[in-house]
Amino acid sequence: MDSAETGGYRPWSEVTPDAARRLLVAAVDAFAERGYHATTTRDIAGRAGMSPAALYIHYKTKEELLHRISRIGHDKALEILTSAAEGPGSAAERLDAAVRSFVGWHAAHHTTARVVQYELDALAPEHRSEIVTLRRESDAAVRGILADGVTTGEFDVPDVPGTTLAVLSLCIDVARWFSTAGQRTPDEVGALYADLVLRMVGARPGAVAQK
């Protein structure tokens, strides 16, 4: 189960009524544990302490549940990255903020993030297209920070699109391996990855004040 709070974020507070939220939380756990295709609506309803018939009051299909999870998760990811990209400071400071927050969210909400990031192909074509658009916007936010850093001479990045993909892939993969039983907290993993990414783009030492 994911942590309840990260930066003031309460998971799934957007979802109402309570029964719909309980079903969505149950679906996240089931999809993360069993995979989307191996999970049945009966599995989800059982985890939520409800009957299978009750699920259809709130969600027409299992795919609708996945789409709702994916949309909320990608909206949050885009919010994190856009906030950092449009925030104050140098390119190095904004990249540091973006990676810290993005990695921290993927670690603190690793169960949710695994479903959000790795079940994209299970979505219906129209829903998949919608989520791909959000991913492109997230990509653009990071790419913009890197391009700014190249322009100002803060970064040495010959291939901005390729480096953008590498940065996002590095951050997202945290959801695959992070465990609350590990030695590092989400914030500590965020700090570690921010340092790694700044080194990757050739930022000068001390470009970002220690936090």
Side-chain angles (χ1 to χ4, degrees):
M1 187 71 69
D2 289 343
S3 169
E5 297 284 343
T6 291
Y9 175 66
R10 179 173 179 263
W12 316 121
S13 59
E14 308 91 334
V15 181
T16 57
D18 182 65
R21 182 176 184 272
R22 283 165 51 203
L23 285 163
L24 189 142
V25 170
V28 168
D29 289 342
F31 293 158
E33 180 182 318
R34 298 169 57 88
Y36 174 81
H37 293 294
T39 298
T40 66
T41 53
R42 184 175 294 276
D43 293 333
I44 295 168
R47 286 172 184 254
M50 301 165 70
S51 70
L55 185 147
Y56 295 107
I57 295 173
H58 303 283
Y59 302 98
K60 294 178 182 178
T61 64
K62 183 176 71 167
E63 192 275 341
E64 182 180 327
L65 256 172
L66 178 63
H67 172 241
R68 184 80 168 121
I69 293 164
S70 189
R71 179 61 200 241
I72 292 173
H74 279 88
D75 279 342
K76 184 62 183 177
L78 179 57
E79 176 190 327
I80 289 169
L81 294 173
T82 300
S83 177
E86 297 177 352
S90 65
E93 289 168 334
R94 286 182 284 131
L95 183 60
D96 176 85
V99 173
R100 282 175 183 267
S101 299
F102 198 52
V103 167
W105 188 86
H106 279 78
H109 304 287
H110 53 279
T111 303
T112 296
R114 282 201 301 275
V115 176
V116 168
Q117 298 293 359
Y118 297 116
E119 292 287 2
L120 181 64
D121 289 341
L123 291 169
E126 65 275 15
H127 289 156
R128 188 178 189 280
S129 177
E130 174 188 314
I131 299 305
V132 166
T133 297
L134 291 174
R135 286 189 173 218
R136 286 174 178 159
E137 292 177 16
S138 291
D139 179 280
V142 175
R143 191 168 64 249
I145 299 173
L146 294 179
D148 287 347
V150 171
T151 299
T152 60
E154 295 175 66
F155 302 155
D156 180 12
V157 180
D159 182 349
V160 170
T163 303
T164 299
L165 177 61
V167 170
L168 287 172
S169 298
L170 185 69
C171 295
I172 288 168
D173 193 57
V174 169
R176 184 183 56 78
W177 61 261
F178 185 83
S179 169
T180 53
Q183 296 182 340
R184 288 188 172 95
T185 67
D187 285 346
E188 288 170 340
V189 176
L192 171 65
Y193 274 54
D195 179 67
L196 291 173
V197 168
L198 287 171
R199 291 172 185 269
M200 180 193 301
V201 300
R204 70 182 187 278
V208 176
Q210 293 296 315
K211 297 182 179 181

